[in-house]
Amino acid sequence: MSTPKTFYVTTPIYYVNDEPHIGHVYTTTVADVMARFHRLAGRDVFFLTGTDEHAAKVVDSAAAHNVTPIQWADRNAKSFQETFAKLAISNTDFIRTTQDRHKTRVQAYVKALMNSGDVYLGDYAGWYDAGQEEYVTDANAEKQGFKSAINQKPLVRKTEKNYFFRLSAYREPLLALLERGEEFDGCRFNVLPEARKNEIVNRIKEMNDVPISRTGQGDWGISIPGDDQHKIYVWIDALFNYISTVDTDERRKYWPADVHLLAKDILWFHAAIWPAMLLALKKQPGYEWVLLPKSVYSHSFWIHEGVKMSKSLGNFIDLKEIDQYIATFSLDALRFFLAAEGPLGTNDSDFAKSKFIETYNTALANTLGNSLSRTSNMTTKYFGGVLPAPVADAGDATLTPEVVAGLAAASAKAYEELDLSGAIASALGIVRKVDEFIEKTKPFTLAKDPANLPRVATILYNCAEALRIASVLLWPVIPGKIQELWARFGQDYTAQLAAAPATGGVDHLAQWLTWGGLKPGTAIVIGEPLFPRYVPPKV
Ligand code: MSP
């Protein structure tokens, strides 16, 4: 067997100053759906998520809770891990930037950058808000009348020594890669969706060198090699997680990543600073393997009932609310809503309860759940629960193997392109065809005359087989419910997936999307509704 293609997908590593909220859960769920799809297709998948721990705000938040930074980080990192486990996230590894495996490698990378000549010690000058302990941009300082926006005290012109990365030296390479779509130094690199690329290209044209170290953060952080006074700027430390985790003999095959998933808030770091640092590192001995990631995909934001989520408004959909959705609608219903209605494109999406209920009832209860019930009920009623052979002509071409194959191919293609709502729409399109087919052929009327039973047999066989194929395509999104469906259809797919090598090689997708997988004679079990219709409680 040839070596399976690898697929490496990452999420941002999340700050541990607080617990996870729906935004973190969203990106990680999208990555999970991608990872599952590619595993289904037999690829050797590496799916990385984790936590970014050396931020100054972790120190502040720990102090506010009277614990040490590492105690605070431990607590929240655990919360992220538990939350992801609860959400059926199938990550391969979970990186914490406070782990030695990360810290030692980051120091080596920064050392190599220092050797490259692209790092220099310089002066950083800017307007400093001492109360807030942060620099204010020149434009904002002017807007604020050179006073603190918080306590109105005058801003101070401050100069500090910092290590800088020569980002400006990478303007041309980045423009070649992004603006002109060319190859550079054996690498290609893309920013998706396309509409986001322009903003980045314009900013690259004006970019300056960036500081990569910080002082005044105490002991928290990774030291600049040979200079304990300076800690590596948390963003530089964090970006390196994507290679530090796979920088071992067994895992280097996964690099370059296929896609870094993240939101628009942190696109600049991933689309400009990260590739520039990699190009610098790549020139150093031993780092020739450090190519550029193939793509960075930046999605938009979830807002909540029409309002941007923020700390000051305290309106994040938090763990408690996430748990309530799971308890009321099921985990898969939450995953489905996130994947189908999420802000993967350039528009924000509204997480509104009414929209959730509408999506749930329309797509899951009335479409998927309903056609499964109809098909299994009729199979039980007319054929004693045993799937009949398709012996006669169905007498209608709404649901043929070709129709199903067309929609299945469209769904798989959309998955490959990270178009989750498209992938789901085509998979559900198959289910809708099942409904339409039942409406048109009326097997419940036909069955009244025994002479029609061969035709009813074909109709029900086609319905069940189409549902099986749709189920394979929906598994990455709603794995729990689909596993129930497979059990009712007598398929051992769950076991086959569990037994498949983690390094890929078994293309279940191609096998299972082929028409004819359900064998006549298979027992079809009627179960509880997969997604019972939700009726809001009366107030
Ligand atoms: N630690 C940095 C990332 C370093 S990556 C090398 C960071 N962390 S974060 O905790 O603030 O997470 C930001 C990410 O969380 C966003 O890029 C996005 O993936 C996700 N989201 C946070 N809020 C979100 C929404 N309201 N909607 C959708 N995703 C959101 O930045």
Side-chain angles (χ1 to χ4, degrees):
M1 195 169 60
S2 61
T3 314
K5 206 173 147 243
T6 59
F7 181 78
Y8 181 16
V9 57
T10 68
T11 73
I13 50 172
Y14 306 108
Y15 288 129
V16 285
N17 56 312
D18 220 330
E19 291 189 325
H21 60 66
I22 201 74
H24 310 127
V25 162
Y26 173 65
T27 313
T28 312
T29 301
V30 172
D32 183 63
V33 172
M34 295 312 296
R36 285 174 185 269
F37 173 79
H38 286 274
R39 274 191 211 112
L40 198 59
R43 299 184 188 135
D44 181 357
V45 173
F46 197 85
F47 166 17
L48 181 65
T49 188
T51 41
D52 180 1
E53 310 198 355
H54 293 128
K57 59 185 169 187
V58 175
V59 180
D60 297 344
S61 188
H65 291 87
N66 285 316
V67 294
T68 63
I70 192 65
Q71 285 172 327
W72 191 241
D74 282 346
R75 186 149 128 187
N76 286 315
K78 187 159 169 263
S79 175
F80 273 94
Q81 280 167 304
E82 287 172 354
T83 302
F84 294 161
K86 185 167 68 188
L87 289 154
I89 301 298
S90 60
N91 52 301
T92 321
D93 199 350
F94 188 99
I95 182 75
R96 296 184 57 186
T97 55
T98 47
Q99 289 168 336
D100 277 340
R101 60 170 173 158
H102 175 76
K103 293 197 285 189
T104 51
R105 291 194 175 93
V106 168
Q107 281 203 317
Y109 303 148
V110 170
K111 186 132 204 259
L113 288 181
M114 293 169 92
N115 292 340
S116 76
D118 281 328
V119 168
Y120 60 92
L121 194 60
D123 291 317
Y124 188 86
W127 292 101
Y128 197 68
D129 181 333
Q132 291 299 101
E133 282 215 63
E134 68 179 3
Y135 281 99
V136 178
T137 63
D138 284 356
N140 282 345
E142 196 172 336
K143 229 185 280 165
Q144 294 163 208
F146 301 98
K147 287 190 186 129
S148 164
I150 310 294
N151 62 15
Q152 318 310 324
K153 290 199 179 137
L155 298 176
V156 201
R157 188 74 190 170
K158 197 170 144 176
T159 308
E160 71 176 346
K161 282 244 174 291
N162 270 131
Y163 289 89
F164 280 78
F165 172 61
R166 219 178 287 283
L167 185 60
S168 57
Y170 293 88
R171 198 174 292 133
E172 265 315 304
L174 288 178
L175 289 177
L177 288 158
L178 290 177
E179 190 176 38
R180 304 196 292 277
E182 294 167 3
E183 200 181 275
F184 181 84
D185 200 6
C187 301
R188 288 203 178 265
F189 176 62
N190 204 8
V191 171
L192 295 166
E194 285 295 322
R196 289 263 175 243
K197 201 153 51 182
N198 272 347
E199 306 162 18
I200 295 296
V201 164
N202 289 334
R203 203 166 153 191
I204 287 172
K205 290 180 179 162
E206 314 206 319
M207 71 191 184
N208 297 316
D209 294 349
V210 285
I212 59 158
S213 69
R214 283 284 186 273
T215 50
Q217 196 176 305
D219 246 5
W220 194 240
I222 307 175
S223 296
I224 288 275
D227 189 346
D228 272 350
Q229 298 301 303
H230 290 262
K231 297 293 174 202
I232 296 167
Y233 178 33
V234 65
W235 261 106
I236 305 303
D237 163 355
L239 286 164
F240 277 128
N241 91 88
Y242 302 129
I243 59 168
S244 71
T245 311
V246 295
D247 192 356
T248 65
D249 288 346
E250 301 74 46
R251 289 179 169 182
R252 238 165 258 129
K253 65 175 173 184
Y254 294 111
W255 190 259
D258 290 79
V259 56
H260 291 315
L261 276 175
L262 41 112
K264 56 188 178 182
D265 54 339
I266 57 175
L267 178 57
W268 175 248
F269 292 96
H270 287 83
I273 299 178
W274 178 227
M277 287 201 308
L278 287 171
L279 288 176
L281 192 58
K282 188 172 176 296
K283 290 187 288 194
Q284 295 309 298
Y287 291 107
E288 298 78 8
W289 62 280
V290 175
L291 302 172
L292 296 186
K294 291 179 203 154
S295 68
V296 163
Y297 193 104
S298 145
H299 60 73
S300 300
F301 268 7
W302 279 104
I303 58 171
H304 186 194
E305 303 290 352
V307 183
K308 187 175 154 67
M309 290 187 278
S310 75
K311 252 215 156 94
S312 51
L313 288 175
N315 65 339
F316 278 108
I317 298 181
D318 59 10
L319 291 183
K320 199 168 139 236
E321 207 168 337
I322 290 171
D323 280 341
Q324 284 164 357
Y325 273 98
I326 295 176
T328 312
F329 299 94
S330 76
L331 166 60
D332 281 327
L334 176 65
R335 289 177 56 108
F336 184 89
F337 181 68
L338 292 174
E341 299 294 323
L344 264 188
T346 47
N347 294 324
D348 289 346
S349 293
D350 192 10
F351 199 118
K353 179 124 194 214
S354 57
K355 191 165 123 194
F356 190 103
I357 295 172
E358 152 103 29
T359 303
Y360 176 85
N361 278 338
T362 310
L364 296 176
N366 298 351
T367 304
L368 181 58
N370 192 43
S371 39
L372 176 65
S373 303
R374 288 175 101 183
T375 303
S376 18
N377 285 337
M378 286 191 281
T379 306
T380 301
K381 201 160 163 197
Y382 309 132
F383 298 95
V386 177
L387 190 70
V391 282
D393 194 293
D396 181 279
T398 304
L399 190 72
T400 60
E402 293 70 32
V403 167
V404 173
L407 286 162
S411 174
K413 179 163 179 282
Y415 270 120
E416 299 278 358
E417 293 165 356
L418 232 159
D419 169 14
L420 293 194
S421 57
I424 292 169
S426 293
L428 280 184
I430 298 176
V431 182
R432 293 207 171 87
K433 285 282 174 203
V434 171
D435 276 335
E436 198 187 316
F437 185 56
I438 294 176
E439 286 314 312
K440 280 193 172 156
T441 55
K442 301 202 180 358
F444 35 85
T445 309
L446 289 174
K448 286 179 184 151
D449 179 353
N452 289 330
L453 278 183
R455 205 176 139 198
V456 175
T458 305
I459 294 170
L460 290 181
Y461 179 86
N462 287 4
C463 290
E465 179 58 1
L467 284 174
R468 183 194 64 79
I469 290 178
S471 76
V472 173
L473 291 160
L474 289 170
W475 175 80
V477 182
I478 48 171
K481 295 289 182 182
I482 292 302
Q483 282 171 209
E484 276 185 50
L485 187 156
W486 289 343
R488 290 182 197 183
F489 275 24
Q491 302 304 305
D492 68 345
Y493 293 172
T494 306
Q496 286 192 52
L497 283 173
T503 48
V506 188
D507 188 351
H508 292 118
L509 189 71
Q511 288 169 9
W512 296 346
L513 291 187
T514 306
W515 187 269
L518 269 181
K519 299 296 167 228
T522 304
I524 302 287
V525 177
I526 307 183
E528 292 291 305
L530 270 197
F531 296 99
R533 201 183 150 74
Y534 179 76
V535 186
K538 288 213 171 66
V539 201

Short mmCIF file of all heavy atoms in Angstrom, two decimals, residues 411-432:
data_model
loop_
_atom_site.label_atom_id
_atom_site.label_comp_id
_atom_site.label_asym_id
_atom_site.label_seq_id
_atom_site.Cartn_x
_atom_site.Cartn_y
_atom_site.Cartn_z
N SER A 411 -21.01 17.04 -1.87
CA SER A 411 -20.76 17.19 -0.44
C SER A 411 -19.28 16.95 -0.13
O SER A 411 -18.65 17.76 0.57
CB SER A 411 -21.64 16.20 0.33
OG SER A 411 -21.33 16.23 1.70
N ALA A 412 -18.72 15.89 -0.67
CA ALA A 412 -17.31 15.58 -0.41
C ALA A 412 -16.41 16.70 -0.92
O ALA A 412 -15.45 17.10 -0.25
CB ALA A 412 -16.93 14.25 -1.05
N LYS A 413 -16.75 17.25 -2.07
CA LYS A 413 -15.94 18.33 -2.64
C LYS A 413 -16.00 19.55 -1.73
O LYS A 413 -14.99 20.21 -1.48
CB LYS A 413 -16.45 18.66 -4.04
CG LYS A 413 -15.71 19.79 -4.72
CD LYS A 413 -15.99 19.77 -6.24
CE LYS A 413 -15.26 20.91 -6.95
NZ LYS A 413 -15.93 22.21 -6.79
N ALA A 414 -17.20 19.85 -1.23
CA ALA A 414 -17.35 21.01 -0.33
C ALA A 414 -16.52 20.80 0.94
O ALA A 414 -15.88 21.73 1.43
CB ALA A 414 -18.82 21.23 0.00
N TYR A 415 -16.51 19.60 1.47
CA TYR A 415 -15.66 19.32 2.65
C TYR A 415 -14.19 19.62 2.34
O TYR A 415 -13.50 20.25 3.13
CB TYR A 415 -15.76 17.85 3.06
CG TYR A 415 -16.85 17.52 4.06
CD1 TYR A 415 -17.86 16.63 3.74
CD2 TYR A 415 -16.84 18.07 5.35
CE1 TYR A 415 -18.85 16.29 4.66
CE2 TYR A 415 -17.83 17.73 6.27
CZ TYR A 415 -18.83 16.84 5.93
OH TYR A 415 -19.79 16.51 6.84
N GLU A 416 -13.74 19.15 1.19
CA GLU A 416 -12.33 19.36 0.82
C GLU A 416 -12.01 20.85 0.79
O GLU A 416 -10.91 21.27 1.10
CB GLU A 416 -12.01 18.78 -0.57
CG GLU A 416 -12.22 17.28 -0.71
CD GLU A 416 -11.05 16.43 -0.20
OE1 GLU A 416 -10.05 17.03 0.23
OE2 GLU A 416 -11.17 15.19 -0.22
N GLU A 417 -13.01 21.65 0.40
CA GLU A 417 -12.80 23.10 0.29
C GLU A 417 -13.16 23.85 1.54
O GLU A 417 -13.26 25.07 1.55
CB GLU A 417 -13.62 23.63 -0.90
CG GLU A 417 -13.09 23.11 -2.22
CD GLU A 417 -14.07 23.31 -3.38
OE1 GLU A 417 -15.20 23.80 -3.14
OE2 GLU A 417 -13.68 22.99 -4.51
N LEU A 418 -13.40 23.12 2.61
CA LEU A 418 -13.73 23.72 3.90
C LEU A 418 -15.05 24.49 3.89
O LEU A 418 -15.25 25.40 4.67
CB LEU A 418 -12.59 24.64 4.33
CG LEU A 418 -12.05 24.39 5.72
CD1 LEU A 418 -10.65 24.96 5.86
CD2 LEU A 418 -12.93 25.03 6.77
N ASP A 419 -15.92 24.09 2.96
CA ASP A 419 -17.23 24.73 2.89
C ASP A 419 -18.21 23.83 3.65
O ASP A 419 -18.89 22.99 3.06
CB ASP A 419 -17.61 24.88 1.41
CG ASP A 419 -19.06 25.29 1.23
OD1 ASP A 419 -19.71 25.72 2.21
OD2 ASP A 419 -19.55 25.18 0.08
N LEU A 420 -18.25 23.99 4.96
CA LEU A 420 -19.04 23.07 5.76
C LEU A 420 -20.53 23.21 5.51
O LEU A 420 -21.24 22.21 5.46
CB LEU A 420 -18.75 23.24 7.26
CG LEU A 420 -17.35 22.86 7.72
CD1 LEU A 420 -17.32 22.75 9.23
CD2 LEU A 420 -16.91 21.56 7.09
N SER A 421 -21.01 24.44 5.36
CA SER A 421 -22.46 24.54 5.14
C SER A 421 -22.82 23.93 3.79
O SER A 421 -23.87 23.30 3.66
CB SER A 421 -22.96 25.97 5.31
OG SER A 421 -22.27 26.80 4.44
N GLY A 422 -21.96 24.05 2.81
CA GLY A 422 -22.20 23.42 1.51
C GLY A 422 -22.17 21.90 1.62
O GLY A 422 -23.02 21.20 1.04
N ALA A 423 -21.21 21.39 2.38
CA ALA A 423 -21.09 19.93 2.55
C ALA A 423 -22.34 19.38 3.22
O ALA A 423 -22.88 18.35 2.82
CB ALA A 423 -19.85 19.60 3.38
N ILE A 424 -22.81 20.11 4.23
CA ILE A 424 -24.01 19.66 4.95
C ILE A 424 -25.24 19.79 4.06
O ILE A 424 -26.09 18.90 4.03
CB ILE A 424 -24.16 20.48 6.26
CG1 ILE A 424 -23.03 20.12 7.22
CG2 ILE A 424 -25.53 20.25 6.89
CD1 ILE A 424 -22.93 21.03 8.43
N ALA A 425 -25.32 20.89 3.31
CA ALA A 425 -26.50 21.09 2.45
C ALA A 425 -26.62 19.97 1.42
O ALA A 425 -27.72 19.46 1.18
CB ALA A 425 -26.41 22.45 1.76
N SER A 426 -25.51 19.54 0.83
CA SER A 426 -25.60 18.47 -0.16
C SER A 426 -25.94 17.13 0.50
O SER A 426 -26.70 16.34 -0.06
CB SER A 426 -24.30 18.34 -0.95
OG SER A 426 -24.12 19.49 -1.73
N ALA A 427 -25.38 16.89 1.67
CA ALA A 427 -25.70 15.63 2.37
C ALA A 427 -27.18 15.62 2.75
O ALA A 427 -27.88 14.62 2.54
CB ALA A 427 -24.82 15.47 3.60
N LEU A 428 -27.66 16.74 3.26
CA LEU A 428 -29.09 16.80 3.61
C LEU A 428 -29.95 16.82 2.36
O LEU A 428 -31.12 16.45 2.39
CB LEU A 428 -29.39 18.04 4.46
CG LEU A 428 -29.06 17.95 5.94
CD1 LEU A 428 -29.51 19.22 6.64
CD2 LEU A 428 -29.73 16.74 6.60
N GLY A 429 -29.35 17.27 1.26
CA GLY A 429 -30.07 17.24 -0.02
C GLY A 429 -30.46 15.81 -0.37
O GLY A 429 -31.55 15.55 -0.90
N ILE A 430 -29.59 14.87 -0.05
CA ILE A 430 -29.91 13.45 -0.28
C ILE A 430 -31.13 13.06 0.56
O ILE A 430 -32.06 12.41 0.09
CB ILE A 430 -28.70 12.55 0.08
CG1 ILE A 430 -27.50 12.90 -0.82
CG2 ILE A 430 -29.08 11.07 -0.03
CD1 ILE A 430 -26.22 12.13 -0.49
N VAL A 431 -31.12 13.51 1.81
CA VAL A 431 -32.23 13.17 2.72
C VAL A 431 -33.53 13.80 2.21
O VAL A 431 -34.60 13.18 2.25
CB VAL A 431 -31.90 13.64 4.16
CG1 VAL A 431 -33.02 13.26 5.11
CG2 VAL A 431 -30.57 13.06 4.62
N ARG A 432 -33.44 15.01 1.71
CA ARG A 432 -34.65 15.67 1.18
C ARG A 432 -35.19 14.92 -0.04
O ARG A 432 -36.40 14.84 -0.25
CB ARG A 432 -34.35 17.12 0.81
CG ARG A 432 -34.05 17.96 2.01
CD ARG A 432 -34.39 19.44 1.84
NE ARG A 432 -34.26 20.06 3.15
CZ ARG A 432 -33.09 20.53 3.63
NH1 ARG A 432 -32.03 20.53 2.87
NH2 ARG A 432 -33.04 21.02 4.85
#
